[in-house]
Amino acid sequence: MVDADAVAAELYGLRPEEFTAARDAHAAAARKAGQRAEAKRIAALRKPTLAVWAANRLARADADQAQHLLELGRGLREAHRTLSGEDLRKLSHQQHVVVAAMAGEARRLAGEAGQDLSAGVQREVEQILRSVLADPEAADTWARGVLEKAPPPAVGFAEVAPAPGTAPRPQQPEREPQPQPEPEPDAEPDDTQDVGRTSREAELAEEALALAETERERARAGLGALDERIARLEERLDGARGERERLAAAAEAAERGHQEAVRAAKRARTAARKARRR
């Protein structure tokens, strides 16, 4: 009996160039065994991009490390629900450190498997890991090492709604400025304005950072779509190469048949000449 889930677990552990032939062989075995539904599921499995393969390999190589990333994602989502600013700052910093380190580890593991990752592919792995942090379903699939394609790019945790009662308070209407008394000669200077100006500058910097991250994620999403298109073209190329090999073998066999026919015709003509002489 052929188990499609077990086959998927095996296939997504293979290098991308080994995927198509192994998938087709498993699908053929399932059809031969009369398991049409399983054969259809296996045949529909998508060849992973290089970045997806590297992310899957990372999850398979160290289950404890994978679970650490999943726990970090749960903590970030909970902090967004409760609007816990302090937790968000700590976890966001930890997110950047962990994702960068794990993407570097994915590159090292790929190198051990004989596959070098470019800096661009490593950035795609980072994007996959950030998506895993934000999407529990993608996180579960990645942790099992069976991602078929890169999850949609995650821009923050926009889909995580705050818990009831934790929404930020609405801003109060601005009041008319009141004249401030002159400070006493020995009094400490009032730094309220400096604090307010610094806070506003920090808010503007955060907004600029969020906008820059959004643009970066859009660009990476475009790269991901292009990689998927390349993967589909590679699959078609693999199929064309197989067809070429089949036709080349048929042409070689036809050439041998032609040469044998030429020799047979020559022998027949020689025999006919000898018969006429006699």
Side-chain angles (χ1 to χ4, degrees), residues 3 40 44 46 48 68 73 79 97 119 137 160 172 189 213 227 248 260 264:
D3 183 345
K40 186 175 181 180
R46 299 178 59 173
H68 176 63
V97 173
E137 184 177 349
V160 179
Q172 297 295 328
E213 288 184 347
D227 281 339
E260 180 59 32

Side-chain angles (χ1 to χ4, degrees), residues 191-244:
D191 59 356
T192 303
Q193 293 181 353
D194 290 339
V195 172
R197 183 168 56 252
T198 302
S199 298
R200 179 55 182 162
E201 290 173 352
E203 290 176 3
L204 291 173
E206 289 292 334
E207 291 174 1
L209 176 59
L211 179 60
E213 288 184 347
T214 299
E215 293 299 324
R216 181 181 64 178
E217 301 311 333
R218 285 177 180 170
R220 288 182 175 175
L223 286 174
L226 182 59
D227 281 339
E228 288 188 13
R229 183 180 178 188
I230 291 172
R232 289 194 297 271
L233 291 174
E234 286 178 347
E235 287 189 16
R236 293 175 60 186
L237 180 59
D238 289 342
R241 283 172 176 163
E243 181 65 13
R244 183 184 183 282

Side-chain angles (χ1 to χ4, degrees), residues 4-27:
D5 291 331
V7 169
E10 174 190 337
L11 292 176
Y12 287 108
L14 301 175
R15 292 175 58 176
E17 61 267 26
E18 301 169 335
F19 182 91
T20 302
R23 179 198 60 196
D24 294 347
H26 280 294

Side-chain angles (χ1 to χ4, degrees), residues 11-261:
L11 292 176
Y12 287 108
L14 301 175
R15 292 175 58 176
E17 61 267 26
E18 301 169 335
F19 182 91
T20 302
R23 179 198 60 196
D24 294 347
H26 280 294
R31 284 192 294 270
K32 186 175 180 180
Q35 297 177 256
R36 294 185 177 277
E38 297 292 280
K40 186 175 181 180
R41 285 183 59 195
I42 293 169
L45 294 175
R46 299 178 59 173
K47 177 182 175 181
T49 64
L50 191 56
V52 171
W53 168 78
N56 281 334
R57 184 172 178 82
L58 177 68
R60 290 164 179 261
D62 192 337
D64 291 337
Q65 187 181 47
Q67 286 303 314
H68 176 63
L69 188 72
L70 301 190
E71 290 170 6
L72 176 59
R74 285 192 286 269
L76 280 165
R77 293 192 296 273
E78 182 62 24
H80 275 270
R81 288 191 187 93
T82 59
L83 298 177
S84 174
E86 183 63 26
D87 288 344
L88 278 174
R89 282 189 291 274
K90 291 179 180 179
L91 292 171
S92 294
H93 174 72
Q94 187 179 357
Q95 169 193 350
H96 293 304
V97 173
V98 170
V99 165
M102 291 182 71
E105 177 67 6
R107 189 173 189 174
R108 186 188 68 79
L109 290 169
E112 287 184 352
Q115 181 66 65
D116 293 331
L117 299 189
S118 67
V121 174
Q122 184 174 343
R123 286 193 295 271
E124 291 176 39
V125 174
E126 290 181 8
Q127 177 56 57
I128 290 171
L129 296 179
R130 279 191 288 270
S131 297
V132 163
L133 284 169
D135 186 343
E137 184 177 349
D140 177 67
T141 305
W142 169 77
R144 290 184 285 113
V146 291
L147 273 179
E148 292 190 36
K149 61 179 180 178
V155 181
F157 288 75
E159 296 183 0
V160 179
T166 59
R169 295 178 181 178
Q171 294 183 351
Q172 297 295 328
E174 295 184 359
R175 298 180 179 180
E176 292 293 329
Q178 300 296 325
Q180 300 295 323
E182 293 291 331
E184 296 295 331
D186 296 331
E188 293 292 330
D190 184 4
D191 59 356
T192 303
Q193 293 181 353
D194 290 339
V195 172
R197 183 168 56 252
T198 302
S199 298
R200 179 55 182 162
E201 290 173 352
E203 290 176 3
L204 291 173
E206 289 292 334
E207 291 174 1
L209 176 59
L211 179 60
E213 288 184 347
T214 299
E215 293 299 324
R216 181 181 64 178
E217 301 311 333
R218 285 177 180 170
R220 288 182 175 175
L223 286 174
L226 182 59
D227 281 339
E228 288 188 13
R229 183 180 178 188
I230 291 172
R232 289 194 297 271
L233 291 174
E234 286 178 347
E235 287 189 16
R236 293 175 60 186
L237 180 59
D238 289 342
R241 283 172 176 163
E243 181 65 13
R244 183 184 183 282
E245 290 175 1
R246 186 185 67 78
L247 292 174
E252 185 178 350
E255 180 63 23
R256 288 196 300 269
H258 175 265
Q259 294 297 330
E260 180 59 32

